[in-house]
Amino acid sequence: MGKKILIVGGVAGGASVAARVRRLDEHAEIIMLEKGPHVSFSNCSLPYHLSGIVEDSQDLVLMNPDIFKNRYNIEARVNQEVMKINRDKKTITIKDLIADRTYEEPYDSLVLSPGAKPIRPNLDGIDHPNVFTVRNVVDIENMNDFIKQEDIKNIAVIGGDLLVWRLLKI
């Protein structure tokens, strides 16, 4: 059996690494760990769910753990939060967020691609329920549900990445 490769993060970076490792080593055991419920979703299309162009947010999800396993022999575990790297033992400590249990997973090689955390500036009202950050499918679903429930007609967008520019064009 080949090396055991653990990849922390299952969206664009992590999924790309997993696919590349598979091309380089068909015998490697590859496990991709994602804290959220989705792997490999279309980040750039998230704003189109708000506009209605993409009606069903699940259409933003490009792959799921079954497809990764069946097509690429990559184990993709969702709802798995990496709590600690135990470098001396070459293991990581993982919390299964669904089963609410913690376990250790050994590795030969470890790749970190956990993504970014949105910056929330220290402003009055930043923790108000009508202030959102958008990073994944769950975030855009929550924002879209709030907009519909509260019949919101105007929003302010703060930030300057590609996602923001797509929101402004909607």
Side-chain angles (χ1 to χ4, degrees):
M1 180 173 248
K3 286 186 171 186
K4 184 172 188 176
I5 315 293
L6 298 184
I7 302 167
V8 179
V11 188
S16 295
V17 168
R20 179 71 176 149
V21 169
R22 174 54 66 227
R23 284 191 297 274
L24 293 173
D25 185 350
E26 66 183 56
H27 301 292
E29 179 182 2
I30 304 168
I31 301 174
M32 188 171 52
L33 303 154
E34 171 57 38
K35 181 178 176 181
H38 303 108
V39 288
S40 192
F41 57 85
S42 178
N43 295 14
C44 293
S45 295
L46 292 174
Y48 295 114
H49 180 56
L50 290 181
S51 71
I53 292 171
V54 176
E55 291 180 27
D56 184 351
S57 61
Q58 293 308 301
D59 289 341
L60 299 169
V61 180
L62 305 174
M63 301 274 280
N64 63 46
D66 291 336
I67 294 172
F68 269 105
K69 187 64 176 172
N70 295 332
R71 194 175 294 168
Y72 304 109
N73 193 24
I74 295 169
E75 185 177 348
R77 298 180 191 169
V78 294
N79 300 302
Q80 306 294 304
E81 183 175 7
V82 175
M83 307 300 289
K84 184 178 178 183
I85 299 171
N86 312 302
R87 295 170 75 181
D88 55 328
K89 299 190 306 184
K90 289 192 88 169
T91 66
I92 58 174
T93 303
I94 305 163
K95 181 173 184 180
D96 182 327
L97 300 174
I98 300 298
D100 194 29
R101 70 177 181 91
T102 302
Y103 63 98
E104 281 194 11
E105 192 72 57
Y107 64 84
D108 293 308
S109 295
L110 176 65
V111 177
L112 302 177
S113 182
K117 182 176 180 181
I119 297 170
R120 296 177 68 97
N122 186 18
L123 300 171
D124 287 340
I126 196 73
D127 294 321
H128 195 277
N130 67 347
V131 176
F132 296 88
T133 58
V134 178
R135 191 173 157 260
N136 55 40
V137 176
V138 173
D139 291 342
I140 207 72
E141 288 171 336
N142 291 337
M143 184 179 187
N144 197 36
D145 290 346
F146 183 86
I147 289 169
K148 288 178 179 177
Q149 288 170 1
E150 300 296 322
D151 196 29
I152 303 296
K153 300 294 181 202
N154 296 297
I155 63 172
V157 178
I158 301 170
D161 65 2
L162 180 61
L163 185 67
V164 170
W165 290 109
R166 288 196 181 203
L167 275 170
L168 293 174
K169 290 183 178 183
I170 292 176

